[in-house]
Amino acid sequence: MAASSGPAGVGGAGPSGFAFDSGLEIKTRSVEQTLLPLVSQITTLINHKDNTKKSDKTLQAIQRVGQAVNLAVGRFVKVGEAIANENWDLKEEINVACIEAKQAGETIAALTDISSLNHTESDGQITIFTDKTGVIKAARLLLSSVTKVLLLADRVVIKQIITSRNKVLATMERLEKVNSFQEFVQIFSQFGNEMVEFAHLTGDRQNDLKDEKKKAKMAAARAVLEKCTMMLLTASKTCLRHPNCESAHKNKEGVFERMKVALDKVIEIVTDCKPSGETDISSVSIFTGIKELKMNIEALRENLYFQSKENLSATLEVILERTEDFTDSAYTSHEHRERILELSTQTRLELQQLISVWIQTQSKKTQSIAEELELTVLKFSHSLNELKKELHSTATQLAADLLKYHADHVVLKALKLTGVEGNLEGLAEYACKLSEQKEQLVEICRLLRHISGTEPLEITCMHAEETFQVTGQQIISAAETLTLHPSSKIAKENLDVFCEAWESQIGDMSTLLREINDVFEGRRGEKYGYLSLPKPMKNNANLKSLKPDKLDSEEQAKIAKLGLKLGLLTSDANCEIKKWEDQENEIVRNGRNMSSMAYSLYLFTRGEGPLKTSQDLIHQLEVFAEEGLKLASSVQVFSKQLKDDDKLMLLLEINKLIPLCHQLQTITKTPLQNQVFLKIDKCIIKTRSMMAILVQLLSLCYKLLRKLQMENNRWVSVTNKDSVDGKT
């Protein structure tokens, strides 16, 4: 499941009042992202040259940008005022910032209005501005006021999340103390609504986070809350049915405790308050240590006094000490263990040789010594790479073998059987086997964390480790309850829920392993999204969730008509892509990804292809919108190489694409119960519009790139000719 989606089961429609607040945040973000690039274009244009003269066409384009800025500011101000009316404590500050933004927008529109520039010169050109300083001041004021509104709106969102968390905690306390089924049902219904609201708020916040590490932590915490909501339901019902059963109470207490920790973790992330004593996970990762050590070693080429030899030796020893997690593991093969020890020794010797040459270089500074230092740096880096490869091979092979061995879930099936039979001896035997399996999986998670390669994947490994550790104990307590009460349907259902959570985490481990391999091998293809967000579990029918409904035949026919144009646009995009000589160009890459996804959407409209349900389609559209924003970013980078007229022409096309991307994101996140067809209809129309712009952008970028290359070649040719003439 993609990171942009809320956890399944707690991501349904919330109360109407909440939906308004969530919509405000989405609108604010969308308008902000549309507005700031436009302001950037104006400041770029007016700061280029003092005496620049522009054609009528350029001035008209500048006027359109100025008007677009003013319109975007108007929408932004309306959203800001709506937020102010909902939050009286910040109303005055927000309103002042909105007034400033509105004034700045109107000033920019007036100063870029070519109707006020009626003095045409003899050469048919018009001076770009009569008051360039005024535009610069207005642009700066606009950026300042927009920033103020966004910061204040951010405080509102954080306050909403904290308030929502407090409501959830208060209701949880009531659920812990409940003594009757009737009272439990009433309170749990309220709890479900509050969790839906909390999921919406935290889901929007997760999408807004720029820090991938924080985003992964948020995804992990939300995943815990999603799964535990179902566990809380069955564990509480089991306790009410069997109030004197110690294992049932232990099972329930474990769920409540884990949810409280996850709720606190969410608040830590949104308020950016790190608890004292929390260690940085980068300090426990071998790959992170190797990466930092290589950077320090390579820095010696530029500065011989950048590091002390003691620091380099100490850093390597810390890394080699952590490799003991691999060599001490009972699951590491003899061959892998010997190879890791051999490479560790070799790396240590290579560093000693490097330090020796380094010390000589500091005193002698001859050409031969410098070359010898370069050689020892290369040798040491090679040794580190070999050690890294061996650790990766060891961990991934162990993980693959273990996941394959436990894929049939024999132990879980046996525990369920012993439970319904009331077999206490069998329970003890299989509980012991599950504990062994849990320890194996926990150790594999620790090894994978060392070689994961990125901080978000490290966090996912830690989340998996914690899930196996906690869920393993809870399965045993749930199985014990069922064994003591073999005829209890609720105890059986409770055990099923915990077993499903275990099976789901095993499945996520396979995806985690694939992502780790992709990072190691340098493959950066389709973004999988955070693994912490789980797939819906079978028993989630009790919660409000969006079911992956298929369209009926009539709706499918209507969708098929919409898809015809999309298929043609995909072909057009592919034709444009084939023109490019550099197929690894970022613009081509983004365009190819969008075209590929659009083709999958086209196949869906025909009832074919990999997308089987409306839920699959919505997920694909979320990724498609993200790719569109990446394309806009790549084109903006390319535009910096162009002259003003060409640059403006390209930026105007980008400003058509960016709002469509945000609109598509908003539609995919908007719950439309019983209106799946309407939602798909809107999404495909937006996708068609985006593909039409993609075709235009690919064609325009290709032409401008060729033009740029020809100009560069002409300049090189002239330079070479001048050089030859000079020599003559």
Side-chain angles (χ1 to χ4, degrees), residues 214-237:
K214 288 182 180 178
K215 191 175 279 192
K217 285 183 176 181
M218 177 71 88
R222 293 178 68 234
V224 169
L225 293 170
E226 189 277 331
K227 289 187 178 179
C228 283
T229 300
M230 192 62 219
M231 295 172 180
L232 184 145
L233 173 61
T234 57
S236 297
K237 285 165 67 178

Side-chain angles (χ1 to χ4, degrees), residues 86-367:
E86 290 290 311
N87 298 272
W88 289 91
D89 52 332
L90 299 174
K91 184 173 182 178
E92 186 176 350
E93 291 179 79
I94 295 175
N95 282 338
V96 169
C98 285
I99 291 169
E100 290 177 357
K102 189 175 181 181
Q103 289 172 345
E106 290 171 351
T107 302
I108 288 172
L111 292 175
T112 55
D113 184 0
I114 59 173
S115 63
S116 62
L117 304 175
N118 51 15
H119 53 288
T120 306
E121 296 180 358
S122 58
D123 59 357
Q125 301 288 312
I126 301 176
T127 306
I128 181 169
F129 292 121
T130 56
D131 187 7
K132 190 175 78 170
T133 305
V135 179
I136 294 172
K137 287 181 178 178
R140 287 175 177 167
L141 176 62
L142 179 57
L143 289 171
S144 172
S145 55
V146 165
T147 302
K148 285 179 190 175
V149 174
L150 292 172
L151 288 172
L152 291 167
D154 195 61
R155 283 167 57 185
V156 171
V157 174
I158 291 172
K159 186 176 75 172
Q160 286 178 340
I161 292 174
I162 293 172
T163 302
S164 180
R165 188 281 305 258
N166 292 340
K167 284 161 61 179
V168 169
L169 274 178
T171 308
M172 280 177 64
E173 287 180 9
R174 292 173 61 200
L175 281 173
E176 280 188 278
K177 299 172 183 176
V178 73
N179 292 316
S180 71
F181 267 109
Q182 186 177 0
E183 186 183 2
F184 172 78
V185 169
Q186 291 174 347
I187 298 174
F188 189 83
S189 176
Q190 177 188 340
F191 174 74
N193 289 332
E194 290 169 354
M195 283 300 295
V196 166
E197 178 180 334
F198 189 72
H200 273 303
L201 284 168
T202 54
D204 287 338
R205 188 67 178 181
Q206 181 180 315
N207 293 332
D208 286 342
L209 290 170
K210 301 295 186 289
D211 187 328
E212 291 296 315
K213 183 176 172 182
K214 288 182 180 178
K215 191 175 279 192
K217 285 183 176 181
M218 177 71 88
R222 293 178 68 234
V224 169
L225 293 170
E226 189 277 331
K227 289 187 178 179
C228 283
T229 300
M230 192 62 219
M231 295 172 180
L232 184 145
L233 173 61
T234 57
S236 297
K237 285 165 67 178
T238 305
C239 266
L240 289 170
R241 182 63 56 84
H242 308 290
N244 299 321
C245 183
E246 185 180 342
S247 58
H249 282 282
K250 181 181 177 183
N251 184 257
K252 172 187 163 185
E253 288 165 6
V255 177
F256 274 93
E257 182 59 32
R258 197 173 184 212
M259 288 191 78
K260 288 174 184 176
V261 171
L263 288 166
D264 289 343
K265 179 61 69 177
V266 169
I267 300 305
E268 288 168 16
I269 296 164
V270 298
T271 58
D272 207 18
C273 295
K274 191 175 181 179
S276 58
E278 182 180 313
T279 57
D280 186 354
I281 64 164
S282 63
S283 64
V284 298
S285 165
I286 292 176
F287 272 27
T288 301
I290 288 176
K291 182 180 177 182
E292 291 174 356
L293 179 57
K294 284 177 71 176
M295 287 172 61
N296 290 337
I297 290 294
E298 288 168 4
L300 296 177
R301 293 167 172 155
E302 305 296 328
N303 184 355
L304 292 172
Y305 304 96
F306 178 71
Q307 284 280 339
S308 69
K309 63 180 187 293
E310 291 80 13
N311 282 347
L312 294 178
S313 297
T315 303
L316 178 62
E317 289 307 316
V318 170
I319 292 170
L320 297 181
E321 184 181 339
R322 291 175 192 152
T323 62
E324 292 174 5
D325 288 348
F326 290 78
T327 55
D328 292 348
S329 172
Y331 309 111
T332 303
S333 68
H334 176 72
E335 292 78 10
H336 280 303
R337 184 178 292 107
E338 289 298 312
R339 180 67 177 151
I340 291 169
L341 291 171
E342 178 188 332
L343 288 169
S344 298
T345 302
Q346 182 182 334
T347 305
R348 192 180 278 113
L349 291 172
E350 294 287 2
L351 181 62
Q352 290 173 0
Q353 178 65 21
L354 171 61
I355 290 172
S356 175
V357 176
W358 175 27
I359 293 171
Q360 292 179 48
T361 308
Q362 287 177 326
S363 57
K364 294 183 179 180
K365 297 183 180 178
T366 63
Q367 181 66 27

Side-chain angles (χ1 to χ4, degrees), residues 21 116 146 202 232 279 285 398 406 425 519 530 574 578 580 723:
D21 291 333
S116 62
V146 165
T202 54
L232 184 145
T279 57
S285 165
L398 278 172
H406 293 306
E425 290 182 6
V519 169
Y530 291 99
N574 290 338
K578 287 176 183 176
W580 291 66
S723 177

